[in-house]
Amino acid sequence: MNGDGALDRLRREGRIVVVGASLAGLRAAETLREKGFTGSLTMIGDEPHEPYDRPPLSKQVLLGAATADGTALPRRRALDATWRLGVRATGLDMAARRVRLADGDEVPYDRLLIATGVRARPWPREEEAGLDGVFVLRTLDDAAALGRRLAEGPRRVFVIGAGFTGSEIASACRERGLAVTVAERGAAPLVGALGGVVGAVAAELQREHGVDLRCGVMVTALEGDASGRVRAAHLSDGSTVETDVVVVSLGATRNTEWLAGSGLGAGPRGIACDAGCRAFDIRGIVTDDIYVAGDVARSPHPLFGYQFLSLEHWGNAVCQAEIAAHNMLSESADRLPHMWVPAFWSAQFGVNIKSVGVPSMGTEILVSQGSLMDRRFVGVYGYQGRVIGAVAFDHARWLPFYQELIETTAPFPPAFPMVGRSPGGQRPVDADFPDPSVPTHGPTVTLSGYSPADRRMTFTPAH
Amino acid sequence: MTQSPLHQILDHANRPDPYPIYAELRKTPVHHEADGPYVISTYHEIRSLLHDPRLSSDVRHLASAAHDPLAESGQEEQTVLPPSFLRLDPPEHDRLRRMANRPFGPPHSPHTVDGMRQELHDIVSGLIDGIGDTGRIDLVDQFSYPFPVTVICRLLGVPREDEARFHGWADTIAASLDPDPDADPAERGKGAHDARMQLGMYLAGLIEERRKQPRDDMLSALATAEGPDGAMTTMELLSTAALLLIAGHETTVNLVTNGMLTLLRNPDVLRRLRAEPRLAVPVVEELLRFEPPVQLLPQRTPLTGIRIHGVTIPKGASVWLVLASGNRDPKRFQNPDRFDPDRRDVQHLGFGSGIHSCFGAPLARLEAQLALSELARRLENPRLLEDPPPYRQNAVLRGPRHLPIACDGIRP
Ligand SMILES: Cc1cc2nc3c(=O)[nH]c(=O)nc-3n(C[C@H](O)[C@H](O)[C@H](O)COP(=O)(O)OP(=O)(O)OC[C@H]3O[C@@H](n4cnc5c(N)ncnc54)[C@H](O)[C@@H]3O)c2cc1C
């Protein structure tokens, strides 16, 4: 059979199924249509809602500035798809190319895109997690329920975990004038993502905004009253905090259970795929018809030592979805690699935080512009003598420059003068990550080119 | 001998259509002539430099030897005032811009610009109502000039009864930015200097009044601000106000005029805009790409050698970023020389990018959207009387000096 002919037929009358009808799923579907796919498109999502945007859920929606249903994702074009919303995919038959659904139906495909994302990790003790007033925040329904409870004016909100989501929730509560306690096992908020130096700034920011921040402690138990409403949280330092609302913000679990036994390389850390978004099976062989995108994907990044990175980043989901869609319809020589440089943003306590690269791989940090004291700065992360990441507090407009430094493996610390650099000249210090992951020393790869089609990797062997 | 690209840019004869020169220029993305500035003309290189913290906006970093043909052409509007934040680097830039932004935009004043919508609409309607003889309209003098000056007066809080005087000074200063080769430079220079002095004194008096009796306007807000950054000094306030005034209307005049010119050259788009006023949003974005009012940024200088596209621009050199050329770079935009309001991904450089990206962008956008959709709706069968129209001298703030048009009548 002629390869071109098969591809043409796929484009014309193939069947493409997308499991996970959210950001990555929608953007992939739109891209497929844009690239001229005229076959049948089926969107399967276990949530009853049309695709919506999650970042506002912990920001505008909690503030009451946007309604939960106002976060529908804008459509770039008409999709002409069959929507199967409110129904979960429960299994995959790779040999027969069929997706099994919870309602007993089976959907055949020629190409499958898996974009099932992650879900909030619940409070581990089921009984306590079930108390009235204990929330997680991942979905629109979560946000609506939490928002309603906040509007009732609880005496205090207790947030477990001071990562990005937990910190944003605390920020929204403070803005609504609610008393907030945040408990964090690490030494400071955001410490896992940005290290202790920046974490200290985040801690100060929280305290200044009136958050009762408790670091270096663990929550040992949640206590309910006779009617099953949460009333207190107990901490490892022996203290107790009276509260009416608890938000569990302990990170996420990948939605891969439905693939158990399918033979796909899917597990608790996500679904491994190659740089072209093609999923691996459990034998480590790449599939030709199953693609992965978004939070659930785990793909090797040449710039970061070929580590398999899982990124819970909005921009990553969009970019990976577009690449996956392109590759699904392309001959192997025309496929594009997903070489997106990680980028993330957050808004909390009036500060716009943005990062590029992988700060958490850094061992040192240099405040290259602005100052920590003003909480307006760029911090550059160094790893083995090269720039590996950068974070900006209210300084986001400079980040494209730092991204270029990362892409070209520029030396760390950057030694040149810059505007807004503090006159004394700050020196790099230990970035102070709690548990620095130290990947082995690898070759150096640099990225160049602007559009996906002319992005190039240059390989420089390590010496 | 053919002219050097630099001279071609500056040559008034090329003002109506500088784009072929830019296309030529893009073949050498970093162009340098002996003693001249480094001229950057390609999209990605311009964007990258706009985000490069090694590139300063502060003229004090310019090597005295760096020759810049624009330095003497009257660009420096603030001889009597300290540099505005446009000409400063962080941290001073950030502090002043932040303070100026408090009463102007989000997060502290998210509704200032949108709150002016009705007022802008009324000003536009008034100007169109007053057009008179439809057989020959000068769109610049009768519409695109008075519109933004009136708007900036309202925004700053210049009382209505003073607007006429204010217009007069603004006109004189604006004219001086547009050197007329035939006029006596000393004479014109003096006129502009006087206008600037009078405007400065007028603003200083107004600020004093607002300090004592604040009103609901930007001058009051700036004069009485007590934010985390403290207050602006009177001199800082004056430079900021002058910046808002000059930059705020000089550019909008051209955006609106270039806009109408482009629409008249693309009657199908004009027709669509008449039927569907919401098209004004993408039309204005595409305009900012296709005919940006600020063609190039001439005031940048490296703090250290910067290597870009294989060339090292030395410390202290003068760097020109030709935004209008980047906007037509075929490596970034498909069919860049086509005016296409349906274009997606219009990440133009019309407002620059990075920390100095246009402060007034939200207001400029709204002004242009309202102006163009109303002109499209109300002018009956509009047509150009001269194409190309006569252009102003200025290569940086490029636009027609007059735009003679005619129409069959004015719809109510
Ligand atoms: C509160 C919050 C705030 C955030 N803020 C930011 C931010 O500021 N900046 C940023 O960069 N990122 C932010 N993110 C992350 C960003 O939203 C995610 O990266 C993005 O949503 C990932 O998209 P996705 O399509 O891969 O996954 P998801 O959006 O998680 O979508 C996956 C979908 O698949 C569905 N699904 C799962 N299993 C099945 C199944 N078996 N069958 C059918 N459907 C299934 C899920 O219910 C879900 O609807 C935030 C996330 C949250 C929750």
Side-chain angles (χ1 to χ4, degrees), chain A residues 19-25 44-47 52-59 87-90 115-118 137-139 165 168 255 258 293-296 311-315 317 343-347:
Chain A
V19 183
S22 185
L23 180 62
I44 299 166
D46 61 358
E47 294 188 72
Y52 60 87
D53 211 13
R54 292 176 207 274
L57 298 183
S58 54
K59 306 172 183 82
V87 53
R88 176 185 302 270
T90 50
T116 46
V118 301
L137 181 54
R138 176 79 202 172
T139 66
T165 307
E168 287 179 5
N255 290 319
W258 66 283
D295 285 6
V296 77
L311 298 167
E312 291 174 39
H313 294 176
W314 193 95
F344 180 85
W345 86 93
S346 169

Side-chain angles (χ1 to χ4, degrees), chain B residues 86-357:
Chain B
L86 188 66
R87 306 286 172 78
L88 289 173
D89 289 337
E92 293 82 11
H93 162 274
D94 294 4
R95 181 178 61 90
L96 289 171
R97 181 167 167 139
R98 212 156 48 224
M99 284 196 279
N101 197 55
R102 274 182 92 85
F104 183 66
H108 302 285
S109 313
H111 305 300
T112 305
V113 170
D114 209 54
M116 292 184 76
R117 188 177 282 272
Q118 186 57 46
E119 206 169 350
L120 298 187
H121 193 273
D122 294 345
I123 300 169
V124 166
S125 302
L127 288 169
I128 297 179
D129 289 342
I131 275 177
D133 175 14
T134 53
R136 188 175 179 91
I137 306 167
D138 179 3
L139 196 80
V140 177
D141 285 344
Q142 292 177 260
F143 185 84
S144 15
Y145 229 103
F147 175 40
V149 185
T150 309
V151 173
I152 205 79
C153 283
R154 303 284 167 83
L155 185 69
L156 288 177
V158 171
R160 248 160 235 255
E161 60 272 23
D162 296 340
E163 271 186 27
R165 280 201 289 161
F166 200 83
H167 278 226
W169 293 321
D171 265 352
T172 313
I173 297 170
S176 78
L177 296 177
D178 182 15
D180 169 0
D182 298 332
D184 174 5
E187 195 60 29
R188 260 177 359 117
K190 189 178 166 318
H193 185 264
D194 289 350
R196 222 172 269 136
M197 286 294 281
Q198 288 177 30
L199 177 67
M201 268 148 56
Y202 172 78
L203 283 172
L206 208 56
I207 289 164
E208 230 13 79
E209 273 175 43
R210 294 295 189 272
R211 273 217 174 96
K212 292 190 199 110
Q213 250 176 346
R215 297 191 196 171
D216 186 19
D217 57 46
M218 250 181 97
L219 272 187
S220 304
L222 292 175
T224 58
E226 266 307 339
D229 289 301
M232 284 190 193
T233 66
T234 301
M235 288 309 267
E236 286 172 343
L237 232 166
L238 280 174
S239 347
T240 305
L243 172 70
L244 298 182
L245 167 71
I246 305 295
H249 87 273
E250 267 310 290
T251 46
T252 313
V253 176
N254 290 334
L255 181 55
V256 172
T257 314
N258 290 336
M260 201 55 195
L261 177 61
T262 305
L263 287 172
L264 290 169
R265 287 173 176 167
N266 293 269
D268 49 322
V269 181
L270 184 63
R271 219 170 304 123
R272 281 176 62 195
L273 180 60
R274 184 176 308 135
E276 172 62 85
R278 287 169 49 144
L279 190 67
V281 175
V283 160
V284 168
E285 277 332 288
E286 173 69 346
L287 262 177
L288 284 157
R289 185 194 70 79
F290 188 74
E291 288 276 24
V294 180
Q295 295 268 300
L296 62 101
L297 299 175
Q299 275 119 8
R300 293 289 200 281
T301 182
L303 299 175
T304 178
I306 296 179
R307 194 162 174 79
I308 187 153
H309 213 276
V311 178
T312 300
I313 310 176
K315 172 179 174 173
S318 167
V319 176
W320 287 11
L321 305 171
V322 191
L323 305 175
S325 171
N327 278 350
R328 302 257 190 137
D329 186 343
K331 282 202 165 140
R332 178 60 182 79
F333 299 103
Q334 279 175 13
N335 293 326
D337 292 323
R338 218 188 94 143
F339 179 72
D340 175 12
D342 299 319
R343 192 182 284 280
R344 286 177 41 194
D345 182 30
V346 198
Q347 289 231 16
H348 57 75
L349 299 169
F351 286 133
S353 187
I355 63 163
H356 290 284
S357 70

Side-chain angles (χ1 to χ4, degrees), chain A residues 173-329:
Chain A
C173 290
R174 286 307 299 144
E175 211 168 312
R176 295 181 76 145
L178 299 169
V180 179
T181 298
V182 173
E184 163 61 43
R185 186 211 297 244
L190 314 183
V191 74
L194 300 175
V197 174
V198 176
V201 179
E204 228 177 85
L205 196 62
Q206 296 213 358
R207 294 208 163 99
E208 204 162 277
H209 281 81
V211 173
D212 168 28
L213 176 66
R214 320 263 184 110
C215 293
V217 295
M218 274 157 61
V219 177
T220 51
L222 300 178
E223 184 190 330
D225 62 16
S227 65
R229 286 195 82 150
V230 69
R231 61 162 294 274
H234 297 283
L235 304 178
S236 56
D237 61 4
S239 61
T240 297
V241 177
E242 305 269 327
T243 184
D244 308 326
V245 176
V246 171
V247 190
V248 180
S249 200
L250 291 173
T253 309
R254 276 147 236 287
N255 290 319
T256 53
E257 292 80 355
W258 66 283
L259 295 164
S262 66
L264 204 65
R269 297 174 66 190
I271 304 170
C273 61
D274 71 3
C277 309
R278 295 180 300 172
F280 285 115
D281 69 17
I282 47 169
R283 303 167 302 170
I285 297 177
V286 82
T287 58
D288 248 344
D289 48 358
I290 304 179
Y291 288 72
V292 196
D295 285 6
V296 77
R298 215 158 68 80
S299 66
H301 203 305
L303 258 194
F304 303 97
Y306 292 97
Q307 282 196 81
F308 277 76
L309 296 178
S310 316
L311 298 167
E312 291 174 39
H313 294 176
W314 193 95
N316 182 66
V318 171
C319 177
Q320 208 167 14
E322 288 169 356
I323 298 279
H326 170 91
N327 288 348
M328 264 186 200
L329 302 176

